[in-house]
Amino acid sequence: MKLPAAMVAVCCLVGAARADDAMPDSLTGAKGDPARGRGIVASRQLGLCLLCHSGPFPEERFQGNLAPDLTGAGKRWSEGQLRLRIVDSTRLNAATIMPAYHRTEGLVRVAPAWRGKPVLSAQQIEDVVAFLMTLKD
């Protein structure tokens, strides 16, 4: 029967909570800085978020359309749900195209300079989560 699979897909799209869809604890033990998080999200060298996502960044041209719009992210998902999606979205969707920003094990085709290193530090993850939580509209 395909109905349960369709319901799960819809629940994931609208951010419905499940016991295993969040990482509730901060990676650093502290809240992040939303201003620094905004800089990471908008950066074309660091976060690269706008290659796939769009959002409330009127000064940024050429925003992506492959992934959900970040507008309202803080209303759609909890802090823990956002953190898990950034740290390792493959834990929710094995076929995702979103990079695992804080996972270092089990990756393939990683450039030698990046092997064993996360794309974003724990502090940077927390800063991005703090910024995305401000996006309530």
Side-chain angles (χ1 to χ4, degrees), residues 73-88:
K75 187 162 69 172
R76 288 193 311 268
W77 296 291
S78 71
E79 199 173 286
Q81 288 172 319
L82 288 168
R83 184 176 296 110
L84 178 59
R85 282 156 175 77
I86 299 165
V87 166
D88 184 7

Side-chain angles (χ1 to χ4, degrees), residues 25-79:
D25 298 328
S26 166
L27 300 176
T28 63
K31 296 275 186 192
D33 180 302
R36 282 195 313 249
R38 186 185 197 287
I40 293 166
V41 169
S43 170
R44 304 278 179 178
Q45 289 78 39
L46 186 56
L48 301 168
C49 304
L50 299 182
L51 287 177
C52 296
H53 295 276
S54 59
F57 309 95
E59 73 283 5
E60 293 295 331
R61 297 179 60 194
F62 309 116
Q63 297 182 32
N65 61 4
L66 296 173
D69 189 320
L70 298 177
T71 303
K75 187 162 69 172
R76 288 193 311 268
W77 296 291
S78 71
E79 199 173 286

Side-chain angles (χ1 to χ4, degrees), residues 115-133:
R115 287 190 189 131
K117 299 175 187 172
V119 176
L120 296 177
S121 71
Q123 183 61 59
Q124 290 169 322
I125 297 286
E126 293 306 318
D127 293 343
V128 170
V129 169
F131 168 64
L132 293 175
M133 286 304 296

Side-chain angles (χ1 to χ4, degrees), residues 3 14-15 26 31-32 45 70 74 78 89 91-92 97 104 127:
L3 182 59
V14 297
S26 166
K31 296 275 186 192
Q45 289 78 39
L70 298 177
S78 71
S89 60
R91 289 175 49 188
L92 299 169
I97 61 169
T104 58
D127 293 343

Side-chain angles (χ1 to χ4, degrees), residues 93-110:
N93 176 1
T96 186
I97 61 169
M98 182 165 169
Y101 280 90
H102 201 68
R103 188 178 94 203
T104 58
E105 300 299 319
L107 303 173
V108 295
R109 295 176 40 180
V110 178

